[in-house]
Amino acid sequence: MSDLPVIGAQLSVLDLGRHRDWLFAKDRDLELPEFCMGDILAHPAPFIEMAQKALDGWHGRLGIHGPFAGFELDVKDREIRPVVQRRIDQALDVCEALGAVQMVLHSPYDRWDACNLDRTPGERAKRISAILDTLEPALIRARDIGVQIVLENIRDTDPADRLAVVAAADTPALALSVDTGHAHWAHWVDGAPPVDRFISSAGARLGHVHLQDTDGWADRHWPLGEGNIVWPAVFKALAGCDAQPHLIVEINEFDKVEDSVAHLEALGLAQ
């Protein structure tokens, strides 16, 4: 049996049937994207039922992409914060119903923060406090139901920012996610570290990776091999982390998920 990492994928509930054999053969990790949408979170039952039926007999690790539209985790308005917390709690309802063990949320950090957080003494600590105040009820519930929330880099240019949040939380319910395309964009456009450094800096706190390719200009979500990300460097960094992250191909064309994994197989990096 190969000791290369087994790659999973983000697949819509509606696409599970087309990839069933591939997914089930190695019990690959799976991430469902539908539950990031508020309209679906308000009425999730049909999607939960479809997923349960499609995944009967599958034994991989299940995750969902949590909500992000219209808010940031560092919300400071105390009247708005409960609205954000309610939306995250709805996503945890879905995790509990499906037996999902992971949920992706978006980081609020960006280039502005990299340039301005140190302008005022204590500003970094205030930002971390705001994020953790928002997440506090979710982290308590996530711990109780066996879900790990992972913070994904979006516009981040310094991976140390998210790491500081996870370290301050100091709970297995919160870990780091690295999106390879977002990191590559930040490297090319904003001078952030390369993708492999985003991964290696996460170390043992790495819980999840979105694998997507890009040219560095935009958030392409291309199949792996169609951009210019250096995949051997990425997987060398992964091998150096004392972690077992969910490795999820997240591309726009679900029909090319298996081709993306085949590209990594051809490079001798994964299966």
Side-chain angles (χ1 to χ4, degrees):
M1 180 180 293
S2 173
D3 60 355
L4 293 175
V6 176
I7 306 300
Q10 183 185 97
L11 294 168
S12 164
V13 169
L14 300 176
D15 280 274
L16 291 177
R18 285 188 286 173
H19 298 276
R20 187 183 190 280
D21 291 346
W22 178 81
L23 191 68
F24 278 54
K26 293 182 183 288
D27 282 326
R28 297 176 186 274
D29 290 340
L30 172 67
E31 182 178 310
L32 300 175
E34 283 90 351
F35 301 105
C36 72
M37 293 180 275
D39 288 346
I40 288 179
L41 286 177
H43 305 283
F47 292 90
I48 291 173
E49 291 168 8
M50 282 189 289
Q52 289 171 330
K53 182 178 180 180
L55 296 174
D56 184 34
W58 170 77
H59 302 290
R61 298 182 295 182
L62 179 62
I64 71 169
H65 199 306
F68 61 87
F71 65 84
E72 299 285 5
L73 290 180
D74 60 338
V75 59
K76 302 170 186 65
D77 189 321
R78 294 184 182 277
E79 292 187 19
I80 295 175
R81 187 176 292 160
V83 177
V84 176
Q85 291 171 328
R86 176 175 173 271
R87 190 64 83 198
I88 296 171
D89 197 49
Q90 287 176 321
L92 288 173
D93 287 341
V94 171
C95 289
E96 191 165 18
L98 286 174
V101 297
Q102 195 171 75
M103 179 169 73
V104 180
L105 293 179
H106 284 183
S107 164
Y109 288 101
D110 59 24
R111 179 64 172 168
W112 175 269
D113 299 316
C115 295
N116 287 280
L117 277 178
D118 292 323
R119 188 180 58 172
T120 305
E123 190 63 28
R124 285 187 179 274
K126 285 171 60 179
R127 178 65 63 85
I128 292 171
S129 179
I131 295 169
L132 293 183
D133 284 349
T134 300
L135 285 177
E136 182 179 13
L139 292 178
I140 293 171
R141 184 179 179 194
R143 181 197 62 203
D144 290 344
I145 64 176
V147 172
Q148 181 186 66
I149 295 172
V150 291
L151 287 183
E152 176 187 0
N153 58 304
I154 305 299
R155 298 179 298 273
D156 305 57
T157 58
D158 187 350
D161 292 332
R162 284 173 307 118
L163 179 58
V165 175
V166 173
D170 192 25
T171 171
L174 187 64
L176 290 168
S177 166
V178 172
D179 184 296
T180 59
H182 300 166
H184 194 53
W185 167 82
H187 174 59
W188 275 62
V189 174
D190 272 329
V195 181
D196 59 294
R197 296 293 180 89
F198 271 77
I199 290 171
S200 60
S201 68
R205 296 188 187 275
L206 183 66
H208 172 274
V209 180
H210 272 153
L211 299 164
Q212 56 135 322
D213 217 338
T214 180
D215 55 0
W217 179 250
D219 187 23
R220 305 289 195 184
H221 289 269
W222 283 339
L224 277 56
E226 292 191 7
N228 53 19
I229 290 179
V230 183
W231 294 110
V234 169
F235 278 82
K236 182 177 180 180
L238 283 169
C241 293
D242 184 19
Q244 298 294 321
H246 295 214
L247 301 175
I248 301 293
V249 172
E250 188 199 32
I251 58 177
N252 291 330
E253 299 175 84
F254 291 147
D255 285 344
K256 294 188 176 181
V257 161
E258 295 180 35
D259 293 339
S260 288
V261 177
H263 177 71
L264 296 178
E265 289 176 334
L267 294 174
L269 299 174
Q271 59 179 316

